[in-house]
Amino acid sequence: MNENQLPNAMRSIIPSLFLFALLLLSYAVLRDFFLIIAWAFIIAYITWQPFLVVKKRLNDRANLSAGLMTGLLTTLMTLLFWIVWSMLQRELVTAYQLLQQQFEQGHLTFPNDLKKKFRS
């Protein structure tokens, strides 16, 4: 069939359908990464001004500035992760001790199904 024989409506509908299918498939592939991409934009936006200050102090050496900022951000995130991890560890120990104390005093009891499983 010649291009001139296709109705005008079909000439605009077929590419639109292909574009819609392409967008739908792109979304299916990327939907798990949207949150990660959003956080990447947030971090890049927040750290842009400090990067420019570091770059200016290092006489416009972009590679060195980028490496230094990457190292600083990695150190900061590692430190924050370590602090949160240690706080969580202390809270878990406290929660375990509190539960153990409650069970020993008889305020809490195991459900019957769990008692049966642990006895056998």
Side-chain angles (χ1 to χ4, degrees):
M1 186 180 261
N2 193 346
E3 183 180 305
N4 295 332
Q5 294 173 340
L6 285 174
N8 285 338
M10 290 297 278
R11 275 192 241 161
S12 62
I13 289 176
I14 291 175
S16 299
L17 288 175
F18 281 128
L19 180 62
F20 179 73
L22 181 65
L23 290 174
L24 188 65
L25 291 172
S26 298
Y27 173 76
V29 170
L30 295 175
R31 78 172 160 242
D32 295 336
F33 298 104
F34 285 145
L35 182 63
I36 296 168
I37 292 169
W39 273 109
F41 278 118
I42 291 168
I43 291 171
Y45 181 78
I46 290 172
T47 59
W48 181 249
Q49 289 301 320
F51 168 74
L52 291 178
V53 170
V54 169
K55 184 179 168 190
K56 185 177 180 182
R57 293 215 177 187
L58 293 175
N59 298 325
D60 290 331
R61 293 186 201 161
N63 290 338
L64 182 60
S65 303
L68 184 62
M69 284 297 294
T70 302
L72 287 172
L73 285 174
T74 302
T75 303
L76 179 67
M77 288 184 183
T78 304
L79 183 64
L80 289 174
F81 178 75
W82 181 76
I83 290 169
V84 169
W85 180 257
S86 65
M87 288 172 57
L88 179 64
Q89 203 172 20
R90 278 184 267 146
E91 290 294 323
L92 287 174
V93 167
T94 304
Y96 176 77
Q97 290 170 346
L98 182 64
L99 279 174
Q100 186 179 19
Q101 185 181 33
Q102 293 291 324
F103 278 117
E104 288 173 357
Q105 292 177 357
H107 297 296
L108 298 175
T109 59
F110 282 109
N112 290 332
D113 293 339
L114 285 177
K115 284 181 185 178
K116 290 177 187 176
K117 285 185 180 182
F118 286 117
R119 285 185 189 158
S120 54

